[in-house]
Amino acid sequence: MIKLCIFDFDSTLMDGETIDILADSYGVGDKVKNITYTNSNEQLDFFEILVKKVSYLKGMSYTKTLEIGQKLPLMNGAYELCEFLKSKNIFLVIFSGGFYEGINPAMQKLNIDLGFANHLHHKNNILTGYVGGEMMFLNSKGLMLQKLKKMLCLKNEEVMCVGDGFNDIAMFEESGLKIAFCANKLLQSKADICINKKDLKEIIKAI
């Protein structure tokens, strides 16, 4: 029986990438997207890419960042899936390589129990271009899930994970039920269930 569900956020619970949306609003979208493109071809380090992307946000208003975070578009079916899982008494958690400024509003809207992400450092209401938090590295999600399982006394078969990207592989390795949602080919190869329609309600049908 599943007792814990871990969700990725960007392009999973949320329809888009938070860093791209922030960068577009600040006029540096092309620079940030070029880093994403480079990552897919040269396998650059996840930490280095995150730090580089956030550096382009230096000087952006933190108030504006929070406003954008409140309006991030949730994925089609997000409400229905979370409501379904909660009805089964499943504990819901977000693991995001993005930012608390994005996941916090979504957690309230979707009744998510817990979330882990990164903080956009700011001073005098201005982003400094620095970032820090619990999800800075490629293996962060796996390490955090290990801790959660130990704390909640859960076995792998009591955990399901839903994600789409390279940094979700680590949490898949710690999970019993692995669901790839509109994911890259590598993650799909490691999944038990692959959903290729942008509608999270498809997961309800699959499980």
Side-chain angles (χ1 to χ4, degrees):
M1 178 184 294
I2 299 295
K3 297 182 179 179
L4 172 66
C5 177
I6 310 293
F7 285 107
D8 173 47
F9 185 64
D10 291 337
S11 298
T12 303
L13 278 181
M14 194 272 285
D15 190 2
E17 296 288 321
T18 304
I19 185 66
D20 290 346
I21 295 171
L22 291 173
D24 283 341
S25 74
Y26 192 51
V28 293
D30 289 342
K31 294 180 179 179
V32 168
K33 290 182 178 67
N34 283 339
I35 299 172
T36 304
Y37 177 79
T38 301
N39 177 37
S40 65
N41 286 273
E42 297 183 10
Q43 299 295 308
L44 297 180
D45 180 81
F46 179 85
F47 169 79
E48 293 174 326
I49 292 166
L50 175 63
V51 170
K52 182 65 174 176
K53 287 181 177 180
V54 172
S55 71
Y56 284 115
L57 301 180
K58 182 178 181 180
M60 183 176 178
S61 162
Y62 187 63
T63 298
K64 179 66 174 180
T65 301
L66 294 176
E67 291 174 355
I68 292 171
Q70 290 284 347
K71 299 175 182 178
L72 292 174
L74 295 177
M75 186 66 69
N76 186 30
Y79 286 100
E80 292 87 347
L81 176 58
C82 290
E83 184 178 7
F84 172 79
L85 295 174
K86 294 292 284 187
S87 75
K88 304 296 182 182
N89 295 315
I90 296 174
F91 195 78
L92 305 184
V93 181
I94 290 176
F95 284 176
S96 176
F99 319 108
Y100 280 105
E101 290 79 7
I103 74 165
N104 283 341
M107 288 175 62
Q108 290 185 333
K109 295 172 184 177
L110 297 172
N111 195 23
I112 303 289
D113 297 291
L114 193 63
F116 297 93
N118 303 309
H119 298 275
L120 291 168
H121 185 258
H122 55 98
K123 188 174 183 179
N124 299 324
N125 198 43
I126 299 296
L127 296 187
T128 62
Y130 296 114
V131 59
E134 299 91 7
M135 295 286 149
M136 295 284 290
F137 304 101
L138 193 62
N139 64 343
S140 293
K141 294 183 180 183
L143 295 175
M144 186 61 71
L145 184 48
Q146 287 179 6
K147 294 178 182 179
L148 271 184
K149 287 189 299 182
K150 184 175 182 179
M151 182 177 69
L152 299 173
C153 299
L154 295 179
K155 301 176 182 178
N156 279 24
E157 55 264 31
E158 296 174 304
V159 180
M160 64 178 278
C161 287
V162 184
D164 76 305
F166 290 107
N167 66 329
D168 295 317
I169 294 173
M171 71 176 183
F172 268 33
E173 293 173 349
E174 299 293 331
S175 174
L177 179 59
K178 309 164 183 64
I179 301 176
F181 181 76
C182 299
N184 63 51
K185 291 183 179 180
L186 180 58
L187 193 69
Q188 289 194 38
S189 71
K190 298 179 180 297
D192 301 305
I193 298 172
C194 294
I195 304 294
N196 291 311
K197 180 181 179 181
K198 285 182 68 173
D199 187 347
L200 288 169
K201 294 192 293 294
E202 295 295 312
I203 293 177
I204 299 176
K205 302 175 185 178
I207 61 176

